[in-house]
Amino acid sequence: MKVFKFGGASVKDAEGVKNLVSVVKQSDEQNLVVVVSAMGKMTNQLEKVVDGYLLKNNELTGSLQDFEEFHLTIMKPLFDANHEVYKKTSNLLSVLKEFLQSNKSTNRAYVYDQIVGFGELMSTTIVSNYLNENGIRNTWLDARKCIVTDANFRDANVDWDTTQKAINEQVTVKGITVTQGFLGAESTNNFTVTLGREGSDYTAAIFAYCLNASNVTIWKDVPGVLNADPRYFQNTTLLHHISYREAIELAFYGASVIHPKTLQPLQRKEIPLFVKSFYDPTSAGTCVGKGVQIDPQVSCFILKRKQVLLSLSSLDFSFMMESHIGDVFKWLHHYKMKVEMIQNSAISFSVVVDNKYDNLGPLITKLRSIFRVTWNENVTLYTIRRASNVEIEQLEKDKTVLLKQQSRETVQLVIKE
Ligand code: ASP
Ligand code: MG
């Protein structure tokens, strides 16, 4: 049993769906779980629907219509006009519209998950039907029957025991199963939850773990894991092999190729993870697994944009002690700020956070009641693994470095944009 994961970019148009079929065909795998994300940028599109809906903005209908039309454009070249897939996708849309009409909740995270999940439900319906059309018999599986979580909407935590049982009941080890990335259901009311943006890789890892898969392949529009993001750096190098540990570090610092949570379950069972190009399915790509830390031995550059640097000092110039810092963390946690880097001196404490859930305003108001607070928005956090001094100097050149931290293997720079 193997697990394949296809992200939104791989199924952004009809050509992409055809290509997915040819990748599955070429692989010649008989027993496979295929995890698929929402097509193209459809999760972003649904996020707009959420905003329009909650703000009672009339553009709502517009953006839902765009969502519908986007999928129709993909389906038309793939299926005959009377194919049953049209009925299935329009049923999905009816369920979504029904939710929009009947829902009374104003809990944004809950509403978000009930709406946003339809991207994956649509994509898997289309992919599953198109695989069938091409002679690849498969079962469409509702991931919400498998991935059981708590009710932490938008970033749900997996209940591993229940999920393990559910997956073993739902997935037949023989044959091909197509299922949604990113989705689960919470255990109390079975409401849809999501596992955090870009969470489909994690879904692939959960299935692989529970089914003892022999490996996982993430199919991407890049040749594998590179030592730097080609959008920001020239002369990137393809990594042939990285250890789980190194991959976890890179993902933690923000390397966007692999979702950070993905690696832990795989590492526990030593299931190799391949990252390969869906344009070039027979080339080796990158293997994350047991063995050497990194091959070839190169420095890795990771960049996280739009971070916030907060600098706090005590109002009375007393030292920033454990209790102060404890308070800071309590509020960072409360406002769901992801902490990227910390540094303290006698009377000040600096922290770089990712304002993922748009809570900066209330956080600052809270912190200001306890500390003197200054902050810089839109800073970029560079993390460099195993860099030489020359490489660091080069990176610093012509930039305003607000904060710098160096450990044996890692240098981090906070740069003002
Ligand atoms: N469709 C979701 C997202 O865009 C999950 C994923 O792509 O992994 O965040
Ligand atoms: Mg996506």
Side-chain angles (χ1 to χ4, degrees):
M1 162 70 64
K2 291 183 180 165
V3 178
F4 280 4
K5 181 260 173 174
F6 292 89
S10 61
V11 287
K12 66 176 190 310
D13 49 26
E15 282 312 305
V17 180
K18 286 185 189 163
N19 189 53
L20 180 155
V21 171
S22 78
V23 170
V24 172
K25 257 193 189 152
Q26 268 188 48
S27 78
D28 207 23
E29 292 300 336
Q30 310 300 317
N31 308 316
L32 198 61
V33 174
V34 180
V35 174
V36 188
S37 306
M39 295 177 149
K41 301 264 181 248
M42 284 302 106
T43 304
N44 294 2
Q45 181 69 27
L46 289 172
E47 284 188 341
K48 283 192 211 152
V49 174
V50 174
D51 288 338
Y53 177 68
L54 288 176
L55 302 170
K56 309 244 178 317
N57 181 326
N58 292 337
E59 276 174 16
L60 155 71
T61 22
S63 28
L64 197 53
Q65 206 172 332
D66 289 351
F67 178 78
E68 198 168 350
E69 274 163 18
F70 179 88
H71 290 95
L72 282 173
T73 311
I74 293 185
M75 284 151 72
K76 274 191 193 137
L78 300 177
F79 302 99
D80 287 342
N82 53 2
H83 196 283
E84 58 176 358
V85 71
Y86 292 101
K87 179 105 203 310
K88 291 183 188 163
T89 50
S90 100
N91 285 347
L92 286 172
L93 282 162
S94 306
V95 179
L96 171 54
K97 286 175 187 162
E98 161 67 24
F99 169 80
L100 296 175
Q101 254 145 35
S102 61
N103 168 62
K104 302 268 182 299
S105 171
T106 51
N107 173 350
R108 184 168 191 277
Y110 159 79
V111 171
Y112 179 102
D113 280 0
Q114 307 322 301
I115 295 177
V116 161
F118 279 88
E120 271 70 13
L121 293 168
M122 292 289 275
S123 70
T124 49
T125 302
I126 296 170
V127 165
S128 167
N129 278 274
Y130 195 62
L131 281 165
N132 271 327
E133 273 307 290
N134 284 275
I136 304 177
R137 294 271 132 228
N138 68 92
T139 313
W140 182 90
L141 173 70
D142 190 333
R144 297 170 297 181
K145 294 207 169 97
C146 295
I147 314 262
V148 184
T149 72
D150 64 6
N152 189 26
F153 294 106
R154 296 191 66 186
D155 196 14
N157 300 296
V158 173
D159 173 343
W160 283 93
D161 288 341
T162 323
T163 298
Q164 170 83 63
K165 277 198 208 101
I167 288 184
N168 288 331
E169 273 166 28
Q170 297 285 333
V171 184
T172 35
V173 205
K174 294 255 168 281
I176 296 180
T177 301
V178 175
T179 196
Q180 307 80 40
F182 187 46
L183 303 188
E186 48 82 31
S187 54
T188 319
N189 298 302
N190 279 329
F191 290 136
T192 304
V193 297
T194 62
L195 304 173
R197 284 302 308 263
E198 309 303 330
S200 298
D201 291 1
Y202 185 39
T203 304
I206 298 168
F207 276 98
Y209 180 91
C210 293
L211 293 165
N212 291 318
S214 52
N215 61 51
V216 176
T217 305
I218 297 182
W219 296 97
K220 302 217 59 131
D221 54 359
V222 288
V225 181
L226 304 174
N227 75 323
D229 187 333
R231 283 174 302 178
Y232 309 115
F233 297 91
Q234 292 168 334
N235 307 326
T236 54
T237 307
L238 174 68
L239 306 174
H240 300 303
H241 181 97
I242 34 179
S243 65
Y244 293 109
R245 173 83 195 266
E246 181 63 16
I248 287 170
E249 296 275 356
L250 294 175
F252 170 79
Y253 289 122
S256 56
V257 230
I258 304 169
H259 187 272
K261 283 188 191 164
T262 306
L263 294 153
Q264 278 117 3
L266 298 180
Q267 189 252 335
R268 259 184 278 150
K269 287 199 174 169
E270 296 189 343
I271 299 170
L273 171 77
F274 295 99
V275 181
K276 294 189 187 193
S277 162
F278 55 72
Y279 296 125
D280 186 10
T282 52
S283 52
T286 302
C287 173
V288 181
K290 267 195 338 187
V292 293
Q293 185 184 19
I294 185 161
D295 167 39
Q297 273 282 347
V298 286
S299 339
C300 295
F301 296 81
I302 304 148
L303 187 153
K304 263 193 175 173
R305 307 189 70 184
K306 299 204 168 94
Q307 306 295 296
V308 183
L309 170 63
L310 287 165
S311 304
L312 313 172
S313 51
S314 48
L315 290 167
D316 55 2
F317 280 91
S318 63
F319 289 151
M320 285 297 280
M321 299 299 278
E322 290 78 359
S323 64
H324 287 129
I325 295 174
D327 274 349
V328 177
F329 274 98
K330 187 176 94 192
W331 292 113
L332 290 172
H333 180 68
H334 180 85
Y335 288 107
K336 294 191 172 181
M337 291 288 172
K338 186 160 177 286
V339 175
E340 302 291 346
M341 178 180 171
I342 52 179
Q343 189 153 307
N344 71 318
S345 71
I347 55 162
S348 87
F349 180 78
S350 301
V351 54
V352 178
V353 295
D354 192 353
N355 180 22
K356 253 180 149 171
Y357 298 98
D358 243 351
N359 286 332
L360 187 62
L363 171 72
I364 287 176
T365 308
K366 181 72 225 171
L367 291 175
R368 277 187 148 170
S369 67
I370 329 174
F371 304 101
R372 196 183 310 278
V373 185
T374 57
W375 69 97
N376 289 283
E377 289 180 62
N378 271 325
V379 301
T380 300
L381 175 65
Y382 285 83
T383 304
I384 313 126
R385 302 268 296 158
R386 294 172 304 274
S388 67
N389 288 339
V390 180
E391 284 173 315
I392 298 168
E393 273 164 31
Q394 206 146 33
L395 199 63
E396 285 176 332
K397 217 172 66 193
D398 309 322
K399 296 195 178 78
T400 312
V401 179
L402 298 172
L403 207 64
K404 179 171 176 176
Q405 204 168 75
Q406 187 153 10
S407 64
R408 237 182 315 165
E409 290 211 294
T410 310
V411 175
Q412 291 194 288
L413 302 170
V414 180
I415 308 275
K416 194 170 171 174
E417 281 296 306

